[in-house]
Amino acid sequence: MAPSRWRGSLTAGYQFFLALGVLIANLVNYATAHVPWGWRVSLGLAGAPAVVIFVGALFLTDTPSSLVMRGRADRARAALLRVRGRDADVEAELRDIAKAVEAASQSEDGAFRRMATRREYRPHLVLAVAVPIFFQLTGVIVLAFFAPLVFRTVGFGSNAALMGAVILGAVNLGSLVLSTLVIDRYGRKVLFMVGGIQMAMNVSIGLCLTFVQTQSFLAMLWRFKHATFAYYAAWVAVMTVFIALFLPETKGIPLESMGTIWGKHWYWKRFVDDGKSDVALT
């Protein structure tokens, strides 16, 4: 439902509030470290954002695409007007959504088989797998999980290690604020590359790799010491090169027209026929 010119910033809001929550949690941990019942405070306060999310979800509207898919065009128009403004002309956008929904419904049967076997969907499949894998292999998740332990390993005391985790969370939050402000101005590809330099099926792949990473990180840190971070730095370099070469820029492109970017890319255009796979997977 986000306008294409703001979609990047609004999408980044999820990661922003996640980083904010991590920073607040680190501050709470630091403040309650010497209190016998401090762990109860740390654990109990996690329920506060859960309540906010639950209450906020009660006020969310269905997406126009979902409403059109169920044959409720009038409600879809009302949902668009709610977020675009009462005086906005949403008819063209509503027609694009209707076309996208129709194309998606016509190609629904056998979608997973086509995605895995047909060439025109090769770009979607490769990027959907590669991006979350690179994100995990850069080590950002395990470093967030084990930040106090990492700082203690390199010689910090208990309090200093907790403060180090706070500083790490603050730097992460500051980077996200900066990226949120510039993502729709400079595009996603630039931020991927800059992020890679700064750091020297998304959910399923991410959670599986998070499990593997968290189970192996301590053993790697114990055995390889500082070489563990060289391992993650190497994956940052690989990710940066991959993003620079293979990820098309999506800045300002409506979701309904997203398929056209593949037909213009120097490599992926050999797999797609000028964007004809536009909405088959949406």
Side-chain angles (χ1 to χ4, degrees), residues 138 189-200 236 239-240:
T138 57
K189 186 172 181 178
V190 172
L191 290 179
F192 253 119
M193 296 168 62
V194 172
I197 295 172
Q198 288 179 337
M199 291 172 61
V236 172
M239 177 193 70
T240 304

Side-chain angles (χ1 to χ4, degrees), residues 152-169:
R152 291 195 66 178
T153 301
V154 297
F156 285 77
S158 297
N159 285 340
L162 289 173
M163 180 53 67
V166 172
I167 295 173
L168 184 63

Side-chain angles (χ1 to χ4, degrees), residues 46-62:
V51 172
V52 173
I53 292 173
F54 176 79
V55 174
L58 299 177
F59 296 93
L60 291 177
T61 180
D62 286 333

Side-chain angles (χ1 to χ4, degrees), residues 223-245:
R223 184 174 180 83
F224 301 117
K225 302 295 190 295
H226 63 276
T228 302
F229 302 98
Y231 166 81
Y232 291 124
W235 277 113
V236 172
V238 173
M239 177 193 70
T240 304
V241 172
F242 180 87
I243 294 299
L245 293 177

Side-chain angles (χ1 to χ4, degrees), residues 2-3 5-20 172-184 187-188 191:
R5 65 184 181 276
W6 296 335
R7 189 176 61 241
S9 297
L10 292 177
T11 303
Y14 167 80
Q15 196 67 28
F16 168 80
F17 284 107
L18 183 63
L20 179 62
N172 183 36
L173 180 62
S175 299
L176 283 168
V177 170
L178 178 63
S179 67
T180 301
L181 294 175
V182 303
I183 189 170
D184 285 310
R188 285 78 165 158
L191 290 179

Side-chain angles (χ1 to χ4, degrees), residues 263-274:
K264 299 176 182 178
H265 189 269
W266 70 272
Y267 179 78
W268 298 122
K269 66 181 179 182
R270 70 188 67 184
F271 296 99
V272 299
D273 184 12
D274 196 25

